């Protein structure tokens, strides 16, 4: 499985940014995809998840501002981010896991239970 993020960059607070994650090799028809973010010195935290049926889930801090979607024809995961705040600055990672033991939600899917990862893309929000 390969996952490659793109779209990171620097924007001013209040702006928008869309991250993309091209993935390949996910052969299971039941998998959980997610976006996580991490700042230096802190643990990697879940931002949003989406399952194969398109059901989404968000961290409280981004609800209403971020949207996770997947284009299954292009095998690409997106994270549309708007009303960005300096606290959103982080390295963003996309992740996938085919195991169904855990629900596909931010609460259930800690970084420890996601099996496949991209290398991350840096997002910097200036005030």
């Amino acid at each position: 499985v390969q996952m490659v993020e793109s779209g990171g960059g620097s924007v001013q607070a209040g702006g928008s940014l869309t991250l993309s994650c091209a993935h390949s090799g996910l052969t299971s028809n039941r998998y959980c995809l997610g976006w996580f973010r991490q700042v230096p010195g802190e643990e990697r935290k879940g931002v949003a998840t989406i399952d194969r049926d398109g059901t989404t889930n968000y961290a409280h801090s981004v609800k209403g501002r971020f949207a996770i979607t997947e284009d299954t024809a292009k095998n690409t995961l997106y994270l549309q981010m708007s009303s960005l705040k300096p606290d959103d600055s982080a390295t963003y990672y996309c992740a996938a896991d085919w195991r169904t033991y855990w629900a596909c939600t931010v609460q259930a899917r800690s970084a420890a239970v996601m099996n496949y990862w991209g290398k991350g893309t840096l997002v910097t929000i200036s005030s």
Side-chain angles (χ1 to χ4, degrees):
V1 175
Q2 285 193 320
M3 307 190 74
V4 180
E5 303 96 338
S6 62
S10 299
V11 298
Q12 288 192 323
S16 301
L17 204 60
T18 297
L19 306 181
S20 301
C21 172
H23 61 82
S24 61
L26 289 172
T27 57
S28 171
N29 61 0
R30 296 195 64 175
Y31 53 78
C32 178
L33 294 170
W35 286 99
F36 291 72
R37 65 187 182 187
Q38 187 173 25
V39 297
E42 296 185 12
E43 64 179 7
R44 194 170 296 185
K45 298 177 182 177
V47 173
T49 58
I50 186 168
D51 67 15
R52 194 63 177 87
D53 297 326
T55 302
T56 60
N57 186 260
Y58 297 92
H60 178 75
S61 60
V62 307
K63 211 167 189 178
R65 300 188 299 120
F66 289 13
I68 185 172
T69 58
E70 187 195 11
D71 185 331
T72 55
K74 295 182 178 179
N75 286 338
T76 302
L77 180 71
Y78 300 98
L79 185 68
Q80 295 169 289
M81 306 184 292
S82 60
S83 301
L84 284 162
K85 307 174 182 179
D87 284 349
D88 294 319
S89 297
T91 299
Y92 283 71
Y93 299 87
C94 61
D97 191 82
W98 54 266
R99 297 169 293 180
T100 58
Y101 183 80
W102 303 276
C104 189
T105 64
V106 170
Q107 293 76 16
R109 293 282 181 163
S110 68
V113 299
M114 297 297 283
N115 206 24
Y116 304 108
W117 292 91
K119 294 185 178 180
T121 186
L122 181 64
V123 172
T124 304
I125 312 300
S126 57
S127 57

